[in-house]
Every structure is written in structure tokens, then in C-alpha cells.
Amino acid sequence: MADLRRKLVLQKDPYDLQKSSSLFLEAVKNDVVFHEKNCPEYARILKAVDFSIDEISSEDMLYKIPSIPTLYYKRNYLSSMPEEKLTVRATSSGTKGLQSRVGFDKKTLFYGVLMVIRYFSYHKLISPLPTNYIVLGYESSRHTQMGAIKTAYGATRFAPAFHREYALKDTGTEYRLNIEGIKKALIKYAKSGLPVRFVGFPSYMFFLIKVLKENHISLKLNSHSKVLLGGGWKQFSDEEIDKDIFFQLIQDTLGIEKHNCFEFYSAVEHPLPYIKCKKGHFHVSIYSRAIIRDVKTLEPVPMGCLGLLSFISPMVSSMPLTSVVTDDIAVLYDGNSCGCGINTPYFELKGRAGVSQIKTCTADAWELAGGGGS
């Protein structure tokens, strides 16, 4: 069976859905067939709902592919390949102690890198200039495999890293908040004249800005400096402020203009990046489709209606992540209403569903797979 992911990642425009639609559909169908043959648990899920890939004849029917909640992956490990074929492993940050465990093979990683290069090139985030990094998250460590660490480190590869300083330093046994350390590093970086990139959680960026303002420190960083934020505010949601106010604070304190501040969305169970456009919207790309589902039935709801954010993508061959439903509440809109120049549909995040709101569909998936897990 041909690996159609290669053709997808070789498409020049990552947002040209019309040109790649038939290719995407066939890639998804191939992906489902592959996982059905190679993951017994996934095959049981499909069999339990009497699903056949032959039902899918158009993109409009992709929603029928059984969608597995991310909470299910936190309780069960699904794999379509033997462990020895997995090159990279990662975990989610955890929900009340639960973590999804994922693994990726060499081909999936290779296509993933090409996909991200397309994204970053389109949004002009690839640079040959040596750059200093403030990583607004965890330092790389042997004792954790959190996906957020790997994602943040990967983002430091798109402009040559001269030096990296971390907001959370690894002590060998735990992580220690290092706001004072990143403040000192930032002052040193400003004197060097090289561009500075801030990569990671928005909460730590906010804490850094607060410390700088409290110390009456105002910097004018190299004009090629950028802010790349993702992962949400997590346990610091009470500190979250309006995005426009936040970006204005960054501009006032560091001299980085708003058009150089970017927001990202991704998930361990759906490892594709979404980058907010200049109008502030997450547009879907040729590598995925977004569906908003009813919280109780998981049926699609019309555009403009609230529901659970779900994705369809053929980009991972190591695990059955083809159709995933997150615990994020979102709304999907027609891309033509955005005005940024990207015409693909976009989603807006509206919050997170509580476990009680998604326990029904999660329990169903658990039962369909025959129970088990840890």
C-alpha cells in the first residue's frame, strides 16, 4: 500500500485543501486499514461499531471513522508497531495524574519534520541567523519524556541555537523554577545583539515580563526576535490575561512587535502544529481536518456551534491516532470569514470539558476495545 503521506508533505502550500483533498481522503483510508491490520485493540473498536472503511467515499463522511477520546489514550496504550521500531517516545503533561504515552517510528518523524518545515516556512519562522533562546518550559532531561519538552526543543532548531536558557531547570530529581536565571540570561542576550526567541508556555512568559517590569527593566531586542507560545496556561489559568494586552506588554518591555508573537496549538495525541494567523485564528491544514462534535453523541455539529474539538489525520503510522477527540471545547468557522488570506476552516478554543462531560464517550471507547489498560 502506497504511503501517501509523502505526497502530502511535498505539497507546496500547506493550506491548499482543494488541491490535496482527494489525496488526503485516500491517505486517511489507507491509514485506517493499516491500523486495523496491525493494532488488534483498534480492530476491535471498529468491529464493535460495525465500521467499514468502505463507508467512506468523500471527505464529508470522514466523521464516521470512530473517534477515540484523548482520555482513552491516557488509560490505554495502543500501538500498530513493535516497540523496537519506535524511535521517539513522549507523554502528555498529565490530567490528574494520567498521561498519554505515544511512540513514533522513523517514517512518521521524517514526514513530521517535513510538515513542520512547510508550516514554519509559510509563516516565515525559519531563519539562518544564530539565535539565543529562552525556553519557557522544561529543560531536557533523562528522567522525563513529556511531549512539551520535545516540542519546545524542536522549535529551537528552526534558527541556529547559540545558547538556550530554561524557565524550569532540571536538578536531577525535580524541576526548579528559574525566573531569575532567564532574566539574567535575557539581559545578557540583549547585550549580544543576536535575535532572541521565546519558546514555550505563555504563563512563564508572563511571569518573566512581570519580573522585568517590577525591576523597571526595559529592553530593545534585535528586530528578528520572536515569541512562540503554546501549551496553554495549565495550572496558572487564574493568571491568564487578554492576548492583546499580553502582546502589548511584550512589545513595551522587550521591543518585540505583535506581528512577531505567535501562538501554537498541538497535542501529544494529535502531534500536528496549528499556528495562529495574523487575525488570531487556528486554520486547519492539508494534513488534517477539524470536526466539532456533540459532547454526548460525538456527532458533528454545524459551523458556529460549540462542541468537542476533534481531528482527522493520516500522519502517524505507529499508533491509531487517525481520528481523535480532545477535551477542548471549540467552535469551527468558515475560513473565508477570517480575512487573513488563508481560506481553510479555523477553530477557536473556548475552554476545556470536565472529565464528567466526556466520561460517557470515553467509557464507550473503553468498552468497545474490550476493557483492559492501566
Side-chain angles (χ1 to χ4, degrees), residues 172-335:
T173 57
E174 61 181 0
Y175 282 100
R176 175 176 54 83
L177 188 61
N178 184 40
I179 293 297
E180 187 63 24
I182 60 175
K183 184 194 80 173
K184 290 180 179 178
L186 180 57
I187 294 172
K188 182 178 178 181
Y189 292 168
K191 292 178 180 178
S192 76
L194 293 176
V196 180
R197 289 195 177 195
F198 301 80
V199 177
F201 296 110
S203 53
Y204 296 114
M205 186 73 192
F206 180 58
F207 298 154
L208 174 60
I209 295 296
K210 283 179 67 175
V211 168
L212 292 175
K213 289 186 72 66
E214 288 168 0
N215 287 273
H216 307 290
I217 297 173
S218 180
L219 304 171
K220 183 65 175 178
L221 298 179
N222 184 297
S223 61
H224 294 284
S225 298
K226 297 184 186 297
V227 176
L228 314 177
L229 303 177
W233 289 69
K234 303 296 183 186
Q235 69 268 37
F236 302 110
S237 57
D238 290 345
E239 301 275 357
E240 187 171 354
I241 64 172
D242 177 79
K243 182 198 71 174
D244 290 332
I245 295 175
F246 189 19
F247 286 174
Q248 188 62 53
L249 284 171
I250 291 172
Q251 183 172 331
D252 294 344
T253 309
L254 301 174
I256 300 177
E257 297 183 8
K258 293 181 182 180
H259 68 267
N260 280 323
C261 295
F262 297 83
E263 292 180 83
F264 292 77
Y265 174 89
S266 187
V268 165
E269 304 88 354
H270 180 69
L272 280 72
Y274 296 85
I275 305 174
K276 276 193 175 180
C277 68
K278 60 185 180 183
K279 297 289 187 178
H281 300 136
F282 291 118
H283 290 264
V284 300
S285 69
I286 63 174
Y287 316 110
S288 69
R289 300 295 185 269
I291 299 170
I292 306 299
R293 298 180 184 269
D294 182 270
V295 173
K296 293 183 179 179
T297 67
L298 293 187
E299 289 293 309
V301 300
M303 279 197 177
C305 294
L306 283 170
L308 289 170
L309 179 59
S310 173
F311 296 104
I312 305 284
S313 176
M315 297 306 296
V316 178
S317 57
S318 51
M319 297 182 67
L321 301 177
T322 317
S323 181
V324 172
V325 56
T326 73
D327 55 0
D328 289 309
I329 297 293
V331 179
L332 192 66
Y333 295 101
D334 186 328

Side-chain angles (χ1 to χ4, degrees), residues 54-223:
D54 295 333
E55 299 176 34
I56 310 300
S57 58
S58 67
E59 271 200 37
D60 292 339
M61 301 179 75
L62 286 175
Y63 76 91
K64 292 187 175 183
I65 299 173
S67 195
I68 302 177
T70 53
L71 186 57
Y72 179 80
Y73 293 102
K74 289 175 168 58
R75 293 174 173 169
N76 301 265
Y77 179 68
L78 302 180
S79 180
S80 300
M81 289 186 179
E83 287 292 312
E84 59 266 23
K85 286 194 174 184
L86 303 182
T87 304
V88 170
R89 295 167 181 80
T91 64
S92 62
S93 55
T95 300
K96 295 186 176 179
L98 297 174
Q99 290 182 318
S100 295
R101 293 179 296 126
V102 298
F104 305 111
D105 60 290
K106 287 183 180 179
K107 267 195 174 182
T108 293
L109 289 172
F110 176 68
Y111 293 138
V113 169
L114 292 181
M115 174 184 64
V116 172
I117 289 173
R118 290 291 188 203
Y119 271 129
F120 275 50
S121 295
Y122 185 94
H123 292 279
K124 297 179 172 57
L125 292 173
I126 295 179
S127 170
L129 299 176
T131 300
N132 285 309
Y133 285 88
I134 299 291
V135 180
L136 303 160
Y138 303 89
E139 183 176 13
S140 299
S141 168
R142 293 180 179 178
H143 59 75
T144 181
Q145 293 184 331
M146 274 191 291
I149 297 176
K150 300 176 189 294
T151 299
Y153 187 82
T156 67
R157 296 294 188 91
F158 291 95
F162 188 78
H163 186 263
R164 300 178 181 92
E165 189 65 35
Y166 294 83
L168 293 167
K169 295 283 286 185
D170 178 29
T171 66
T173 57
E174 61 181 0
Y175 282 100
R176 175 176 54 83
L177 188 61
N178 184 40
I179 293 297
E180 187 63 24
I182 60 175
K183 184 194 80 173
K184 290 180 179 178
L186 180 57
I187 294 172
K188 182 178 178 181
Y189 292 168
K191 292 178 180 178
S192 76
L194 293 176
V196 180
R197 289 195 177 195
F198 301 80
V199 177
F201 296 110
S203 53
Y204 296 114
M205 186 73 192
F206 180 58
F207 298 154
L208 174 60
I209 295 296
K210 283 179 67 175
V211 168
L212 292 175
K213 289 186 72 66
E214 288 168 0
N215 287 273
H216 307 290
I217 297 173
S218 180
L219 304 171
K220 183 65 175 178
L221 298 179
N222 184 297
S223 61

Side-chain angles (χ1 to χ4, degrees), residues 36-52:
E36 185 178 15
K37 288 182 178 179
N38 292 280
C39 180
E41 294 88 350
Y42 186 64
R44 285 200 291 272
I45 291 175
L46 300 187
K47 185 177 180 180
V49 295
D50 196 26
F51 174 80
S52 170

